[in-house]
Amino acid sequence: MLRRGLFITFEGPEGSGKTTHSKLLCEFLHKKGFKVLHTREPGGTLISEKIRKILLDPKNKGMGVGCEMLLYMAARAQIVKEKILPSLEQRKIVICDRFTDATLAYQGYAGGIDLKVIDNIASIVTKGLKPDITFLLDIDARLGLLRAGRSKDRMERKSVLYHNKVRSGYLDIARKESGRVKVISATAKIKDVQSVIRNFTLLTMSKV
Ligand code: TMP
């Protein structure tokens, strides 16, 4: 049992493999006997999954970036209150596929909303919660979009230029917060990427 809960997030452009890696890490820690919650954003609760459907529905192509940002935040407010904070209080390891960094990268760096405004709203909806570790799986935006496949959701349909800005936004966040964000090239073999993730997680856990 850990002395406190641990919050791990996975980030990256489309097609970076973060869902695969977050699930593999979850299985690994579960087998070691830790209590783990694996979840995703937007989603993870009944209400947040409904908001996810609105956000990703290609029919909502007229959605403005302000509406988009506030819906992501609304989904986040609910999952933080309903799932993430209670699980951390029970000293679980929470692994979340995307979190506030995604809003900074997508709606901030790529969408043009002031990063300070996003930070302020995020600190209200998350009650100041920050991940202990963030794995940023980095990949060329065009390659990632190809990997993501053909049936594209509303966000994946945005231009390559937009997705390039998402990628460089993520890398900028990693530069500013190098203690928290670990950048890993997503083009290496799954086994090798996963081994870096596991070792880094175990090292952090030994300090908690
Ligand atoms: P997913 O494909 O990782 O499940 O995420 C859904 C999409 O939502 C993906 O295109 C990234 C995007 N997104 C944002 O634009 N802002 C956010 O705050 C979050 C959490 C995701």
Side-chain angles (χ1 to χ4, degrees):
M1 190 92 182
L2 294 169
R3 265 182 292 179
R4 64 167 176 88
L6 194 76
F7 186 32
I8 304 173
T9 60
F10 281 77
E11 299 281 358
E14 310 297 328
S16 61
K18 62 188 171 40
T19 307
T20 305
H21 282 292
S22 62
K23 285 187 177 156
L24 285 172
L25 178 66
C26 179
E27 277 166 29
F28 170 74
L29 294 171
H30 185 71
K31 278 195 195 133
K32 283 200 164 291
F34 292 101
K35 292 205 168 86
V36 192
L37 169 77
H38 181 275
T39 191
R40 69 169 178 182
E41 268 231 82
T45 73
L46 210 66
I47 295 170
S48 311
E49 287 292 337
K50 284 186 183 170
I51 298 174
R52 179 185 178 93
K53 284 212 176 82
I54 299 173
L55 277 163
L56 300 186
D57 185 348
K59 286 198 212 100
N60 292 332
K61 55 175 181 283
M63 188 184 291
V65 68
C67 172
E68 192 178 280
M69 186 270 283
L70 290 170
L71 284 176
Y72 279 112
M73 290 294 189
R76 181 162 305 133
Q78 190 61 27
I79 192 181
V80 166
K81 173 194 168 285
E82 204 180 309
K83 292 276 170 71
I84 300 179
L85 287 180
S87 301
L88 291 174
E89 271 157 29
Q90 291 162 21
R91 293 193 269 171
K92 286 186 186 167
I93 300 173
V94 176
I95 299 178
C96 195
D97 203 326
R98 298 200 191 277
F99 198 59
T100 304
D101 292 326
T103 316
L104 289 166
Y106 282 78
Q107 285 69 50
Y109 287 90
I113 295 185
D114 190 327
L115 302 180
K116 282 203 199 85
V117 170
I118 295 178
D119 266 337
N120 287 339
I121 299 175
S123 70
I124 297 168
V125 304
T126 67
K127 301 189 166 71
L129 177 67
K130 285 241 172 192
D132 294 287
I133 314 171
T134 297
F135 291 110
L136 171 54
L137 300 183
D138 181 48
I139 188 165
D140 171 74
R142 194 184 287 271
L143 180 62
L145 285 167
L146 282 174
R147 271 203 200 178
R150 275 165 177 265
S151 65
K152 298 200 181 317
D153 64 36
R154 194 183 62 84
M155 298 302 289
E156 289 164 342
R157 286 172 194 221
K158 293 186 190 263
S159 67
V160 176
L161 179 70
Y162 177 93
H163 287 283
N164 273 328
K165 287 185 188 165
V166 169
R167 182 196 188 188
S168 54
Y170 269 133
L171 291 172
D172 199 46
I173 296 169
R175 263 191 299 273
K176 287 189 201 152
E177 293 193 61
S178 56
R180 170 176 69 86
V181 184
K182 179 138 183 77
V183 185
I184 306 171
S185 169
T187 48
K189 283 192 191 136
I190 291 188
K191 181 168 88 26
D192 297 337
V193 173
Q194 185 59 204
S195 133
V196 174
I197 291 171
R198 288 179 183 179
N199 290 337
F200 194 80
T201 302
L202 292 176
L203 183 72
T204 307
M205 284 166 66
S206 68
K207 296 178 192 158
V208 165

